[in-house]
Amino acid sequence: MRADGRLPSELRKIIIQPDYLRSPAGSALIRCGDTWVLCTASVEEKVPPFLRDAGTGWVTAEYGMLPGSTHTRSNRGSSGRGKEIERLIGRSLRAAIDTARLGPRTITIDCDVLQADGGTRTAAITGGYVALCLAVRRLQQAGLLSADPIRHPIAAVSVGVIGGEALLDLPYEEDARAQVDMNIVMAQTQKGPAFVEVQGTGEQGTFDRRELDRLCDLAEGGIAQLFAAQSQALSEENPKGVRP
Amino acid sequence: MRADGRLPSELRKIIIQPDYLRSPAGSALIRCGDTWVLCTASVEEKVPPFLRDAGTGWVTAEYGMLPGSTHTRSNRGSSGRGKEIERLIGRSLRAAIDTARLGPRTITIDCDVLQADGGTRTAAITGGYVALCLAVRRLQQAGLLSADPIRHPIAAVSVGVIGGEALLDLPYEEDARAQVDMNIVMAQTQKGPAFVEVQGTGEQGTFDRRELDRLCDLAEGGIAQLFAAQSQALSEENPKGVRP
Amino acid sequence: MRADGRLPSELRKIIIQPDYLRSPAGSALIRCGDTWVLCTASVEEKVPPFLRDAGTGWVTAEYGMLPGSTHTRSNRGSSGRGKEIERLIGRSLRAAIDTARLGPRTITIDCDVLQADGGTRTAAITGGYVALCLAVRRLQQAGLLSADPIRHPIAAVSVGVIGGEALLDLPYEEDARAQVDMNIVMAQTQKGPAFVEVQGTGEQGTFDRRELDRLCDLAEGGIAQLFAAQSQALSEENPKGVRP
Amino acid sequence: MRADGRLPSELRKIIIQPDYLRSPAGSALIRCGDTWVLCTASVEEKVPPFLRDAGTGWVTAEYGMLPGSTHTRSNRGSSGRGKEIERLIGRSLRAAIDTARLGPRTITIDCDVLQADGGTRTAAITGGYVALCLAVRRLQQAGLLSADPIRHPIAAVSVGVIGGEALLDLPYEEDARAQVDMNIVMAQTQKGPAFVEVQGTGEQGTFDRRELDRLCDLAEGGIAQLFAAQSQALSEENPKGVRP
Amino acid sequence: MRADGRLPSELRKIIIQPDYLRSPAGSALIRCGDTWVLCTASVEEKVPPFLRDAGTGWVTAEYGMLPGSTHTRSNRGSSGRGKEIERLIGRSLRAAIDTARLGPRTITIDCDVLQADGGTRTAAITGGYVALCLAVRRLQQAGLLSADPIRHPIAAVSVGVIGGEALLDLPYEEDARAQVDMNIVMAQTQKGPAFVEVQGTGEQGTFDRRELDRLCDLAEGGIAQLFAAQSQALSEENPKGVRP
Amino acid sequence: MRADGRLPSELRKIIIQPDYLRSPAGSALIRCGDTWVLCTASVEEKVPPFLRDAGTGWVTAEYGMLPGSTHTRSNRGSSGRGKEIERLIGRSLRAAIDTARLGPRTITIDCDVLQADGGTRTAAITGGYVALCLAVRRLQQAGLLSADPIRHPIAAVSVGVIGGEALLDLPYEEDARAQVDMNIVMAQTQKGPAFVEVQGTGEQGTFDRRELDRLCDLAEGGIAQLFAAQSQALSEENPKGVRP
């Protein structure tokens, strides 16, 4: 039995509020238990230097934790951990989109953690996908895209091993004592679910092929529910589809 | 008539959610119209070098805008404007508290703007006071303070002159075209309302003593309502006074 | 009686040396008692990004304290306090000039404190105005301006309350123990003196409308003398008006 | 057939030169084809703040690329990519060692890429393990450790999918066009080889469980050879075991 | 004939104002023609980490140019050139003093260029020596030193070759077109003048032993006059030897 | 007798490996005893802002020490000492080349110290010259230069005085206790050897003209051998002259 009463294969309660903010092209507040991440998608009509004159667009991500989001106040500003995370988010969201269809523009997904209780990077990916879709929808409504650049939904979840047992969606208290900790990003492709990123770490132990398999199974089950939550959030959105 | 239909002396709708987050000692989400600021108060058992061995405590503030909070995405990281604002917030909140009664500890008020529509620094002060009070209450409940360090409530509002007319609580659209822009911080002292900070700027014009008076009047009226909103937020708070 | 023998409404001795340096377009060394600030005005034929193609110019300021300017050596480099001050100087000096008449060029006013004894920011504004005027004069002499961009003189002074008494032009020793501290920037408009900035702080107390009035009176009296000193400095300047 | 004539399951030529440098406690130059990484292990008799008074030691890593190591000169200084990599190296090497047995000291593994041709992070882990072992050996020879802190060897290799085929040990030319790219870190435990880190990315595609399995197989085969190369390098080392 | 009418072996007019500022332990404004450098000496009762518990003191220097000191405004903040210069000043001034006699304290010499016309680093050394002596005198007057730590005066001058002719004390206009440029720091030892630093550069040419000799002769003649100017400045100083 | 058995006028063993790396236009690993510096020369088709539209090229240098290069691990990142050194290297190498003949391109010489045992800056200059020549040769082979921009070889060595004796090529152990320390850069011009830079420092003493002469003699002898080593390295290079 887990401390919060969940089954090993049970997600925390998930709430995604689409178009949470007025200014950005797309935004979503995602709450996975006590982990809350505000994701915004901003569009700029320019691309990074390495894509100059390439005709294709770019999707990138930034990640931050508000100082009050953790039990002990954390300092503002970038850290090695933050850089690692925002690179993961950026790679994952680029897997969701055909940047050639975006035209020469950049969508920046900002993921700011309002409250942290484990799994902030996977929540950021799951919520960031919703913000990205909303921003793309706005570009389509404005007639700026000739074809839909979204390839397939992506979502992410953490899994881990504690005391030999594989668990889904670890809160901080579990994450801190897991022997193996894994973040899995998957896409919902036409051929079924497929991996986008698999990042497993055995900082307090090692793991074998059987455990890897079991963790992948658990993640696949959880991510199926996240795909459903994303889909609902995107359909709930303002039916008129245009914000004032 | 103002663009949002308000009277010149009318505040935007104000909502203060106390104890918005689980981790920090105190927190409040304040919404003044479309300006939303998340204020958290964190306690550390140490003081800055210049107070070493002085026996008194310290209150300081940090201020940030999330990249998606503005119409055009703003970059992360500190700016001259941000430094100016966090110094104002810090000075104002120190006026609310007798730091000698805090003991050798520091309370940091982090004010993060989730959505910006003018008046973010004054909202940060008004909401920051609530977060500060909640953190002090936790210290009292833990038996760490021998006397109540709170001196009096403080709150803040912006006022300005547009087309010769004095207006209360300017949203961005008004702020950007005001001839005179003023931020006023007041305390609710036993002798009545009194100024803590007055910062008036005539970047697009100058102003005379009569206008200064009129703006002070408007601010005093608005701040009276903010004191009421703070008081209500602080009384709404968890009656058992202890979070699980 | 004040420690330096001045009356409450008396300025410290003020000396402004125009064209103190050979290289910059304009410069002035201002000495207000033991507060000495070297102000230089440099002209660059470009504008900041936000004014690109706007046709108007810009005036900005930077502020620094030499390490040896204070009793205890201060470190080089920018601080939150410095950012706050340079924003105040920049806003104030922009109020003195019609930037549309400057053409697409930037004038940077550098204010470097050689010796600090309170009131460095107000001395910087008063001296910076002289440096700005001298730089504008050089542009006019070079035939680069079609109309005089100077709107009206501006000058600044500090005022404060100590032991219930309002005092003009506080040296460091008074500033450090003032209950209320106020920096006031005024313009000498055709309709008479008018406020450009009013920044009052009650870090060690609060203040009421009557005190605000009394401080404004004191400041207005002091600033009238500063306008005279500026005017004399600008007329003393090299009568041939062209430096070799 | 691969461009360099290797079979899909063939490693590039690997050379590990132990004790390459005179000054550090341990060092190794590892060459995997044209990827050359200089790994040094330095011992300091202190621990990071979060371990103060914990009695245990710490192992951390830093990673850098010399500007001339890449085809187009890269700038000095830290990058998001570098932070991500040094976190991976640090986690992996900590899995090789029982830090409680190190005593209150820190071993820093610096991994500097002299020449980059793909797989620099995995070469850094494989070579870093050798440098770490040599530094531990010096501590043992100096009588500073009561028990051997090394748990088991670790080594790492990259694998990827190109044109549907799984390949071992990708040079830059293959890495740049791989659909799936994976870095795998394994330990040689008493129970056999086990995963320490699995980081797979499908930036240009997704991958399924079967491909994940195939890549793990390939990596396991390659890492077995790397364990042998490490073992030989560690046995070749100065037989007298003490450098002058 | 030089542009300013001087002979090849003639110094620019030199003025040293001792105790120019009120706050620092020692200060001097040195003017060598249009090169003006404000030198201050601040004493701190601590030493850098590498001297901890060594019982000896330290002398270090910082160098900066005010933005308005040059014809084209220069940016604030440190540069490679500034670092190179402040290291030269620090080494040179340490040659003037027996740091063991200073006790565990640090004297920092800040050299800030108010106006630059060539030779700022050598003026900084010559003026910095005066500021250093004044600070040491204050320590002696306060009874904090048991023996005089000053070993011998040091001073510095630039020399160079233009059109085959060796010239003393180059202004900017000459410095910019010199084939060879040399900064020479000398001490006035009991055995006569001796070199402390010799830094010669042939960026626009090379130089031979004969030219090196000729430049050393010129410098020795100039520095003799600088020693005299330092000596006079130090004797002119407040005869009561104690500032109020 | 010196600790390593050398005569006062004897160089340490010198080995220069040309074209050490595959990627940069030119590279050389230089080993002077236990001082090892990896020098690379990278070509970019652009020039710094101050040369825009000047038609001439630029040569600049960067210098770094790997953390494990010194006995006690040194931190990554730039230092005042490093800035001073990279300016010396850059000036010296520019003396070897007619930048007008380079065309509008920049050659950056990166000098990274793998192992430090005194004389790293002079080894960097001597090895950097070889890397520069190899890069220029590649440009010539590609038909990008109309005339050979190399003016003459340059090389550098350190000399110093210990216990009254002048010594050539100081290792760290000697350098740390030298009374006088000098770095000399010379060119092999058609008229014979000539100085490019002379940097002598008497941090632990002063020196006279006779000692300066003796040190110059020693350096000239050592540099003649370095010219020979450079020449051999440049002739040993790949006889086909074109790398694949």
Side-chain angles (χ1 to χ4, degrees):
Chain A
M1 181 64 118
R2 301 166 78 174
D4 55 10
R6 282 185 291 145
L7 297 176
S9 63
E10 195 178 341
L11 282 183
R12 289 181 285 181
K13 183 172 179 191
I14 181 146
I15 301 170
I16 303 176
Q17 289 177 259
D19 277 334
Y20 185 72
L21 298 180
R22 209 186 54 155
S23 296
S27 66
L29 177 66
I30 182 167
R31 309 189 188 201
C32 303
D34 283 326
T35 287
W36 301 359
V37 184
L38 179 51
C39 307
T40 64
S42 305
V43 182
E44 287 171 296
E45 297 293 319
K46 63 179 186 186
V47 289
F50 66 87
L51 287 179
R52 193 154 293 157
D53 303 322
T56 75
W58 190 241
V59 171
T60 186
E62 296 194 5
Y63 168 93
M65 296 183 82
L66 295 196
S69 64
T70 45
H71 192 70
T72 302
R73 183 178 180 274
S74 47
N75 288 327
R76 284 167 196 281
S78 74
S79 64
R81 176 183 169 274
K83 288 291 170 195
E84 183 182 67
I85 292 174
E86 66 194 27
R87 286 172 59 84
L88 169 64
I89 301 171
R91 282 196 309 268
S92 298
L93 292 176
R94 281 193 293 279
I97 196 164
D98 180 351
T99 51
R101 291 188 170 182
L102 256 191
R105 52 178 65 90
T106 297
I107 302 183
T108 301
I109 310 295
D110 287 287
C111 302
D112 286 275
V113 179
L114 305 189
Q115 186 162 268
D117 187 29
T120 62
R121 74 189 75 187
T122 50
I125 292 168
T126 304
Y129 172 75
V130 174
L132 175 62
C133 284
L134 291 170
V136 164
R137 198 178 287 183
R138 296 286 135 63
L139 289 170
Q140 289 177 304
Q141 287 162 351
L144 293 166
L145 301 179
S146 50
D148 185 359
I150 299 293
R151 281 180 169 143
H152 40 237
I154 64 149
V157 80
S158 76
V159 286
V161 176
I162 296 183
E165 186 168 24
L167 300 173
L168 178 67
D169 192 15
L170 312 185
Y172 177 75
E173 168 273 321
E174 289 179 353
D175 185 72
R177 59 195 174 87
Q179 287 95 51
V180 181
D181 175 27
M182 200 162 220
N183 293 296
I184 292 184
V185 187
M186 298 191 85
Q188 194 177 32
T189 72
Q190 288 182 320
K191 299 191 213 159
F195 296 114
V196 169
E197 284 261 349
V198 172
Q199 293 205 344
T201 301
E203 201 167 333
Q204 300 182 43
T206 57
F207 54 105
D208 60 20
R209 200 74 70 86
R210 208 179 39 80
E211 285 170 308
L212 178 60
D213 266 351
R214 175 71 188 116
L215 291 170
C216 288
D217 287 341
L218 263 188
E220 194 170 326
I223 286 175
Q225 297 171 58
L226 296 173
F227 286 143
Q230 288 175 327
S231 173
Q232 184 183 343
L234 286 166
S235 67
E236 274 169 6
E237 191 249 344
N238 177 349
K240 286 184 292 299
V242 183
R243 289 171 308 168
Chain B
M1 180 64 116
R2 301 166 79 174
D4 55 11
R6 281 186 291 146
L7 296 176
S9 63
E10 196 178 341
L11 283 182
R12 290 180 285 181
K13 184 172 179 190
I14 180 147
I15 300 169
I16 303 177
Q17 290 176 259
D19 276 333
Y20 184 72
L21 298 179
R22 210 185 54 156
S23 296
S27 67
L29 176 66
I30 182 167
R31 310 190 188 201
C32 304
D34 284 326
T35 288
W36 301 358
V37 185
L38 179 51
C39 307
T40 63
S42 305
V43 181
E44 287 171 295
E45 296 294 319
K46 64 179 184 185
V47 290
F50 66 87
L51 287 179
R52 193 153 294 156
D53 303 322
T56 74
W58 189 241
V59 171
T60 186
E62 296 195 6
Y63 168 93
M65 297 183 80
L66 295 196
S69 64
T70 46
H71 191 69
T72 303
R73 183 178 181 275
S74 47
N75 287 328
R76 282 166 199 282
S78 75
S79 65
R81 177 183 170 274
K83 289 290 170 196
E84 184 182 65
I85 291 174
E86 66 195 27
R87 285 172 58 84
L88 169 65
I89 300 171
R91 281 195 309 268
S92 298
L93 293 176
R94 281 192 293 278
I97 197 164
D98 180 350
T99 51
R101 291 189 169 180
L102 258 190
R105 52 178 64 90
T106 297
I107 303 182
T108 301
I109 311 294
D110 286 287
C111 301
D112 286 276
V113 178
L114 305 188
Q115 185 162 270
D117 188 28
T120 61
R121 77 189 72 184
T122 49
I125 291 168
T126 304
Y129 172 74
V130 174
L132 175 63
C133 284
L134 292 169
V136 165
R137 200 178 285 183
R138 295 287 133 63
L139 289 171
Q140 289 177 303
Q141 287 162 350
L144 293 165
L145 301 179
S146 52
D148 185 358
I150 299 293
R151 282 181 170 143
H152 40 237
I154 63 148
V157 79
S158 77
V159 285
V161 176
I162 296 182
E165 187 168 25
L167 300 173
L168 179 68
D169 192 14
L170 313 184
Y172 177 75
E173 167 273 322
E174 289 179 354
D175 185 72
R177 58 195 174 89
Q179 287 94 49
V180 181
D181 175 26
M182 200 161 220
N183 294 298
I184 292 183
V185 187
M186 298 189 86
Q188 193 176 30
T189 72
Q190 288 181 319
K191 300 190 212 161
F195 296 113
V196 168
E197 284 261 348
V198 172
Q199 293 205 345
T201 301
E203 200 165 335
Q204 299 182 44
T206 57
F207 55 105
D208 59 20
R209 199 75 69 85
R210 209 179 38 80
E211 286 170 308
L212 178 59
D213 266 351
R214 176 70 188 117
L215 291 169
C216 288
D217 287 340
L218 263 187
E220 194 171 326
I223 285 174
Q225 295 171 58
L226 296 172
F227 286 142
Q230 288 174 328
S231 172
Q232 186 183 343
L234 286 166
S235 66
E236 274 170 4
E237 193 248 344
N238 180 348
K240 287 185 292 298
V242 181
R243 288 171 308 168
Chain C
M1 180 66 114
R2 300 165 79 174
D4 55 10
R6 282 187 291 146
L7 297 176
S9 63
E10 195 177 340
L11 283 183
R12 289 181 285 181
K13 184 172 179 191
I14 181 148
I15 301 170
I16 304 176
Q17 290 177 257
D19 277 335
Y20 184 72
L21 298 179
R22 210 184 54 158
S23 296
S27 67
L29 176 66
I30 182 167
R31 309 190 189 200
C32 303
D34 283 326
T35 288
W36 302 358
V37 184
L38 180 50
C39 306
T40 63
S42 305
V43 181
E44 287 171 296
E45 297 293 319
K46 64 178 185 187
V47 290
F50 67 88
L51 287 179
R52 193 154 293 157
D53 303 321
T56 75
W58 189 242
V59 171
T60 186
E62 296 194 5
Y63 168 93
M65 295 183 83
L66 296 197
S69 64
T70 45
H71 191 70
T72 302
R73 183 177 181 274
S74 47
N75 288 328
R76 283 166 198 281
S78 75
S79 64
R81 177 183 169 273
K83 288 290 171 197
E84 183 183 65
I85 291 174
E86 66 193 28
R87 287 172 57 85
L88 170 64
I89 301 171
R91 283 196 308 267
S92 298
L93 292 176
R94 282 192 293 278
I97 197 164
D98 180 351
T99 51
R101 291 188 170 182
L102 257 191
R105 52 177 64 89
T106 297
I107 302 183
T108 301
I109 311 294
D110 286 288
C111 302
D112 285 277
V113 178
L114 305 189
Q115 187 161 268
D117 187 29
T120 62
R121 74 189 74 187
T122 50
I125 292 168
T126 304
Y129 172 75
V130 174
L132 175 63
C133 284
L134 292 170
V136 165
R137 200 178 284 183
R138 297 286 133 65
L139 290 170
Q140 289 178 302
Q141 288 162 350
L144 292 166
L145 300 180
S146 50
D148 185 358
I150 299 294
R151 280 180 171 145
H152 40 239
I154 65 149
V157 79
S158 76
V159 285
V161 176
I162 296 183
E165 187 168 23
L167 300 173
L168 179 67
D169 192 13
L170 312 185
Y172 176 74
E173 167 274 322
E174 289 179 353
D175 186 71
R177 59 196 174 87
Q179 288 94 51
V180 181
D181 175 26
M182 199 163 222
N183 294 297
I184 293 184
V185 187
M186 298 191 85
Q188 194 178 31
T189 72
Q190 288 182 319
K191 298 191 213 159
F195 295 114
V196 168
E197 284 262 349
V198 172
Q199 292 204 344
T201 301
E203 200 166 333
Q204 300 183 42
T206 57
F207 54 107
D208 60 19
R209 200 74 70 85
R210 209 178 41 78
E211 287 170 308
L212 177 59
D213 266 351
R214 176 69 188 119
L215 291 170
C216 289
D217 287 340
L218 263 188
E220 194 170 327
I223 286 175
Q225 297 171 57
L226 296 172
F227 286 143
Q230 288 174 327
S231 173
Q232 185 184 343
L234 287 166
S235 67
E236 274 168 5
E237 191 249 343
N238 179 349
K240 288 185 292 295
V242 182
R243 290 172 307 168
Chain D
M1 180 65 115
R2 300 165 80 174
D4 55 12
R6 281 186 290 146
L7 298 175
S9 62
E10 195 177 342
L11 282 183
R12 290 182 286 181
K13 184 171 178 191
I14 181 147
I15 302 170
I16 302 177
Q17 290 176 258
D19 276 334
Y20 185 72
L21 298 180
R22 210 184 52 156
S23 296
S27 67
L29 177 67
I30 182 168
R31 309 189 188 201
C32 302
D34 284 325
T35 288
W36 301 358
V37 184
L38 179 51
C39 306
T40 64
S42 306
V43 181
E44 287 171 295
E45 296 294 319
K46 63 179 185 187
V47 290
F50 66 87
L51 288 179
R52 193 153 293 157
D53 304 322
T56 74
W58 190 241
V59 171
T60 186
E62 296 196 6
Y63 168 93
M65 297 182 82
L66 295 196
S69 64
T70 46
H71 192 70
T72 303
R73 182 178 182 274
S74 47
N75 288 328
R76 281 168 200 281
S78 74
S79 64
R81 176 183 170 275
K83 289 289 171 197
E84 184 182 65
I85 291 174
E86 66 195 27
R87 287 172 57 84
L88 170 64
I89 300 171
R91 281 196 308 267
S92 297
L93 293 176
R94 281 192 293 279
I97 197 164
D98 179 350
T99 52
R101 292 189 169 180
L102 257 190
R105 52 177 65 91
T106 297
I107 302 182
T108 302
I109 311 294
D110 286 286
C111 302
D112 286 276
V113 179
L114 305 188
Q115 187 161 268
D117 187 29
T120 61
R121 76 189 72 186
T122 50
I125 291 168
T126 304
Y129 172 75
V130 174
L132 175 63
C133 284
L134 292 170
V136 165
R137 199 177 288 184
R138 296 287 134 62
L139 289 170
Q140 290 177 303
Q141 288 161 349
L144 293 166
L145 300 180
S146 50
D148 185 359
I150 299 293
R151 283 182 170 140
H152 40 238
I154 63 149
V157 79
S158 77
V159 285
V161 176
I162 296 183
E165 186 168 26
L167 300 174
L168 178 69
D169 191 14
L170 313 185
Y172 177 74
E173 168 274 322
E174 288 179 355
D175 184 73
R177 59 195 173 88
Q179 286 95 47
V180 180
D181 175 26
M182 200 162 221
N183 294 297
I184 292 182
V185 187
M186 298 190 85
Q188 193 177 31
T189 72
Q190 288 183 320
K191 300 190 213 159
F195 295 115
V196 169
E197 284 261 348
V198 172
Q199 292 205 345
T201 302
E203 200 165 335
Q204 299 183 43
T206 56
F207 54 105
D208 59 20
R209 200 73 70 87
R210 209 178 39 78
E211 286 170 308
L212 177 60
D213 266 351
R214 175 72 187 116
L215 291 170
C216 290
D217 287 340
L218 263 188
E220 194 171 327
I223 286 175
Q225 297 171 57
L226 296 173
F227 286 142
Q230 288 175 328
S231 173
Q232 183 183 345
L234 286 166
S235 66
E236 273 169 6
E237 192 249 346
N238 180 347
K240 285 185 295 296
V242 180
R243 290 171 308 167
Chain E
M1 179 66 113
R2 300 165 79 174
D4 55 11
R6 281 187 291 146
L7 297 176
S9 62
E10 195 178 340
L11 282 182
R12 290 181 286 182
K13 185 173 178 190
I14 181 146
I15 301 169
I16 303 177
Q17 289 176 258
D19 276 333
Y20 185 72
L21 298 180
R22 210 184 55 158
S23 296
S27 66
L29 177 66
I30 181 167
R31 310 189 189 203
C32 303
D34 284 326
T35 287
W36 301 357
V37 184
L38 180 51
C39 307
T40 63
S42 305
V43 181
E44 288 171 295
E45 297 294 318
K46 64 179 184 185
V47 289
F50 66 88
L51 288 179
R52 193 154 294 157
D53 303 322
T56 75
W58 190 242
V59 171
T60 186
E62 296 195 5
Y63 168 94
M65 296 183 81
L66 295 197
S69 65
T70 46
H71 192 69
T72 303
R73 182 178 181 275
S74 47
N75 287 329
R76 281 166 201 281
S78 76
S79 65
R81 176 183 170 274
K83 289 289 171 198
E84 183 182 66
I85 291 175
E86 67 195 26
R87 286 172 58 84
L88 169 64
I89 301 170
R91 282 196 308 268
S92 298
L93 293 176
R94 281 192 293 278
I97 197 164
D98 180 350
T99 51
R101 291 189 170 180
L102 258 190
R105 52 178 65 89
T106 297
I107 302 183
T108 301
I109 311 293
D110 286 287
C111 302
D112 286 275
V113 179
L114 304 189
Q115 187 162 270
D117 188 30
T120 60
R121 76 188 74 184
T122 50
I125 291 168
T126 304
Y129 172 74
V130 174
L132 175 63
C133 284
L134 292 170
V136 165
R137 200 178 285 183
R138 296 286 134 64
L139 290 170
Q140 290 178 301
Q141 288 162 350
L144 293 166
L145 301 180
S146 51
D148 185 359
I150 299 292
R151 282 180 170 145
H152 39 238
I154 64 148
V157 79
S158 76
V159 285
V161 176
I162 296 183
E165 188 169 24
L167 300 173
L168 178 68
D169 191 15
L170 314 184
Y172 178 75
E173 168 273 322
E174 289 179 353
D175 186 73
R177 59 197 174 86
Q179 286 95 50
V180 181
D181 175 27
M182 201 161 219
N183 294 297
I184 293 183
V185 186
M186 297 189 85
Q188 194 177 30
T189 72
Q190 288 183 319
K191 299 191 212 161
F195 295 114
V196 169
E197 284 262 346
V198 172
Q199 293 205 344
T201 302
E203 199 164 338
Q204 300 182 43
T206 57
F207 54 106
D208 59 21
R209 200 74 69 86
R210 208 179 40 77
E211 286 170 309
L212 178 59
D213 266 351
R214 175 71 187 118
L215 291 170
C216 288
D217 286 341
L218 263 188
E220 193 171 326
I223 286 175
Q225 297 172 57
L226 296 173
F227 285 144
Q230 288 174 329
S231 172
Q232 185 183 345
L234 286 166
S235 67
E236 273 169 6
E237 191 250 344
N238 181 346
K240 286 185 292 295
V242 181
R243 290 173 306 170
Chain F
M1 181 65 116
R2 301 166 79 174
D4 55 12
R6 281 186 291 147
L7 298 176
S9 62
E10 196 178 340
L11 283 183
R12 290 181 284 181
K13 185 172 180 191
I14 182 146
I15 301 169
I16 304 176
Q17 289 176 259
D19 277 334
Y20 185 72
L21 299 180
R22 210 184 54 156
S23 295
S27 66
L29 177 66
I30 181 167
R31 310 191 188 200
C32 302
D34 283 327
T35 288
W36 301 358
V37 185
L38 179 50
C39 306
T40 63
S42 305
V43 181
E44 287 171 295
E45 298 293 318
K46 64 178 185 186
V47 289
F50 65 87
L51 287 179
R52 193 155 291 157
D53 304 321
T56 75
W58 189 241
V59 171
T60 186
E62 296 194 4
Y63 169 93
M65 296 182 82
L66 295 196
S69 64
T70 46
H71 191 71
T72 303
R73 182 177 182 275
S74 46
N75 288 328
R76 283 166 199 281
S78 75
S79 64
R81 176 182 170 275
K83 288 291 170 194
E84 183 182 65
I85 292 175
E86 66 194 28
R87 286 172 57 84
L88 169 65
I89 302 171
R91 281 197 309 268
S92 298
L93 293 175
R94 282 192 292 279
I97 197 164
D98 180 350
T99 52
R101 291 188 169 180
L102 257 191
R105 52 178 65 89
T106 297
I107 302 183
T108 301
I109 311 293
D110 286 287
C111 301
D112 286 276
V113 178
L114 304 189
Q115 186 162 269
D117 187 29
T120 62
R121 75 189 74 186
T122 51
I125 291 168
T126 304
Y129 172 75
V130 173
L132 175 63
C133 284
L134 293 170
V136 165
R137 200 178 284 182
R138 297 286 134 62
L139 289 170
Q140 290 177 302
Q141 288 161 350
L144 292 166
L145 301 179
S146 51
D148 185 358
I150 299 293
R151 281 180 170 144
H152 40 239
I154 64 149
V157 80
S158 77
V159 285
V161 176
I162 296 183
E165 188 168 24
L167 300 173
L168 179 68
D169 192 14
L170 314 184
Y172 177 74
E173 167 274 322
E174 289 179 353
D175 186 72
R177 58 195 173 91
Q179 288 94 50
V180 181
D181 174 27
M182 200 162 221
N183 294 297
I184 292 183
V185 187
M186 298 190 85
Q188 194 177 32
T189 72
Q190 288 182 320
K191 299 190 212 161
F195 295 114
V196 168
E197 284 261 350
V198 172
Q199 292 204 345
T201 300
E203 201 166 333
Q204 300 182 43
T206 57
F207 54 107
D208 59 21
R209 201 74 70 85
R210 208 178 42 77
E211 286 169 309
L212 178 59
D213 266 351
R214 175 71 186 117
L215 292 170
C216 289
D217 287 341
L218 264 188
E220 194 169 327
I223 286 176
Q225 296 171 58
L226 297 172
F227 286 143
Q230 288 175 327
S231 173
Q232 185 184 343
L234 287 165
S235 67
E236 273 169 7
E237 191 249 345
N238 178 349
K240 287 185 292 298
V242 182
R243 288 172 307 168

